[in-house]
């Protein structure tokens, strides 16, 4: 997406050969993503070119805002409360999954909360699921900090912070040696830099997209998510330039080489 959002399938197959993903697997995966409305195909002669659909692009943008966010601003004590009891039964489960993916915690059946709800992303999500006219959105305020004991327990119950902390610790243990290795060399191999970046974001987002990104005031004092984000940012910054050179070398669009990346790429993690 930062390089135009479209590519030749053959160049993607070539790219993925380096990690032993053969042509049959790539074609099968791309076809499945097409059927699930993530990708759309365009045929030019004997070549197939794929791009992200409008729906897929919106979902990627929602995820990207969370994965690549910079330092969070101070919290004003407001909680967004979403009541979904009026949603049609056939929509409820899909809506619940999407809201949890967006960081909402469940207080009770049909009642979800979030302390930093992205209103633009929430409106887009509700529109995609045709549920915008069936929910009630309220704002509530936390008047006492530090948290009273019942609210502190509610935070832990809503978002399973212990399991999330364990996942962040695993990420730190896996990637701290990677950072030390990268920091010990002067010049990186572009192919290795690309695959480090790909696996880094794959592993980070698996944890991050389960993280509601709660304000510091609602988190334990030794929260490992802060260290994990800093480590991810440092590695990403180190491998970004050679990784982009590798993409330029390997991938093609219908017009030839990939276009230059947009400014948004350098703005990730608050600026890399």
């Amino acid at each position: 997406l930062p390089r135009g959002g479209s590519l030749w399938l053959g160049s993607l197959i070539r790219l993925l050969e380096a990690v032993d993903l053969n042509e049959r697997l790539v074609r099968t995966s791309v076809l499945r993503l097409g059927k699930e409305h993530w990708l759309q195909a365009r045929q030019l002669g004997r070549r197939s070119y794929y791009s992200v659909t409008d729906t897929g692009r919106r979902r990627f943008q929602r995820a990207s805002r969370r994965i690549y966010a910079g330092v969070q601003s101070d919290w004003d004590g407001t909680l967004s409360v979403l009541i979904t009891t009026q949603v049609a039964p056939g929509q409820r489960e899909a809506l619940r999954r999407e809201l949890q993916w967006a960081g909402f915690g469940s207080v009770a059946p049909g009642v979800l909360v979030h302390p930093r709800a992205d209103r633009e992303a929430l409106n887009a999500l509700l529109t995609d699921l045709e549920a915008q006219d069936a929910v009630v959105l309220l704002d509530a305020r936390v008047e006492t900090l530090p948290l009273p004991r019942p609210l502190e327990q509610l935070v832990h119950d809503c978002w399973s912070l212990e399991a999330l902390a364990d996942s962040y610790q695993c990420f730190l243990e896996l990637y701290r040696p990677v950072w030390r290795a990268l920091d010990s060399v002067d010049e990186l191999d572009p192919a290795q830099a690309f695959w480090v970046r790909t696996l880094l974001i794959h592993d980070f987002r698996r944890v991050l997209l389960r993280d509601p990104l709660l304000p510091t005031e609602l988190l334990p004092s030794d929260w490992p998510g802060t260290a994990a984000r800093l480590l991810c940012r440092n590695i990403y910054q180190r491998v970004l330039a050679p990784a982009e050179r590798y993409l330029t070398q390997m991938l093609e669009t219908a017009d030839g080489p990939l276009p230059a990346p947009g400014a948004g790429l350098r703005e990730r993690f608050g600026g890399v």
Side-chain angles (χ1 to χ4, degrees):
L1 286 173
R3 305 292 297 270
S6 177
L7 54 80
W8 172 42
L9 178 59
S11 65
L12 179 64
I13 291 169
R14 182 174 62 201
L15 178 76
L16 296 175
E17 285 175 351
V19 287
D20 294 328
L21 292 175
N22 63 41
E23 180 175 345
R24 180 182 59 82
L25 287 173
V26 177
R27 288 185 181 278
T28 299
S29 297
V30 167
L31 286 172
R32 183 177 297 124
L33 289 168
K35 290 179 180 177
E36 294 174 356
H37 308 294
W38 284 88
L39 299 179
Q40 56 194 2
R42 181 164 66 113
Q43 198 75 23
L44 291 178
R46 300 183 63 184
R47 287 187 166 192
S48 296
Y49 296 85
Y50 281 85
S51 59
V52 181
T53 63
D54 289 342
T55 299
R57 187 180 293 267
R58 287 194 295 270
R59 294 195 68 181
F60 274 119
Q61 288 171 342
R62 289 200 295 266
S64 292
R65 278 199 292 268
R66 297 178 63 197
I67 296 168
Y68 301 111
V71 177
Q72 296 189 69
S73 58
D74 292 337
W75 183 51
D76 64 0
T78 300
L79 286 169
S80 297
V81 181
L82 195 65
I83 301 173
T84 65
T85 52
Q86 301 303 311
V87 175
Q91 294 178 291
R92 287 176 189 168
E93 182 56 25
L95 179 61
R96 183 190 65 80
R97 287 198 305 268
E98 290 292 331
L99 289 170
Q100 287 186 333
W101 186 81
F104 277 80
S106 179
V107 176
V111 182
L112 299 99
V113 298
H114 196 297
R116 288 190 186 275
D118 182 331
R119 294 300 176 89
E120 181 182 345
L122 176 60
N123 288 334
L125 185 159
L126 294 172
T127 300
D128 285 346
L129 294 175
E130 299 180 351
Q132 68 272 28
D133 296 326
V135 301
V136 177
L137 180 61
L138 306 172
D139 282 337
R141 286 190 60 82
V142 175
E143 299 292 349
T144 306
L145 290 174
L147 299 182
R149 180 62 185 169
L151 182 55
E152 184 178 300
Q153 187 60 50
L154 182 65
V155 168
H156 281 263
D157 292 344
C158 281
W159 287 289
S160 303
L161 293 185
E162 289 82 1
L164 194 58
D166 288 343
S167 296
Y168 274 128
Q169 288 291 359
C170 290
F171 176 86
L172 289 167
E173 291 169 9
L174 181 62
Y175 280 95
R176 275 171 174 155
V178 175
W179 169 244
R180 289 194 291 269
L182 291 170
D183 200 37
S184 68
V185 297
D186 294 328
E187 188 171 350
L188 300 178
D189 174 79
Q192 289 183 341
F194 171 74
W195 287 111
V196 166
R197 186 179 78 169
T198 300
L199 295 171
L200 171 77
I201 296 302
H202 174 66
D203 288 330
F204 183 62
R205 62 101 186 161
R206 291 177 71 184
V207 185
L208 190 281
L209 292 180
R210 294 188 286 112
D211 187 345
L213 303 179
L214 299 178
T216 303
E217 294 87 345
L218 300 181
L219 291 169
S221 58
D222 57 349
W223 182 243
T226 305
R229 177 171 289 278
L230 179 61
L231 177 63
C232 184
R233 179 192 185 278
N234 289 344
I235 295 176
Y236 194 89
Q237 183 177 39
R238 183 75 173 89
V239 301
L240 179 59
E244 288 299 310
R245 290 199 299 271
Y246 188 64
L247 283 178
T248 299
Q249 173 189 337
M250 297 296 291
L251 295 180
E252 297 179 36
T253 72
D255 298 318
L258 289 178
L265 187 66
R266 281 286 177 186
E267 294 169 1
R268 290 176 171 179
F269 295 110
V272 291

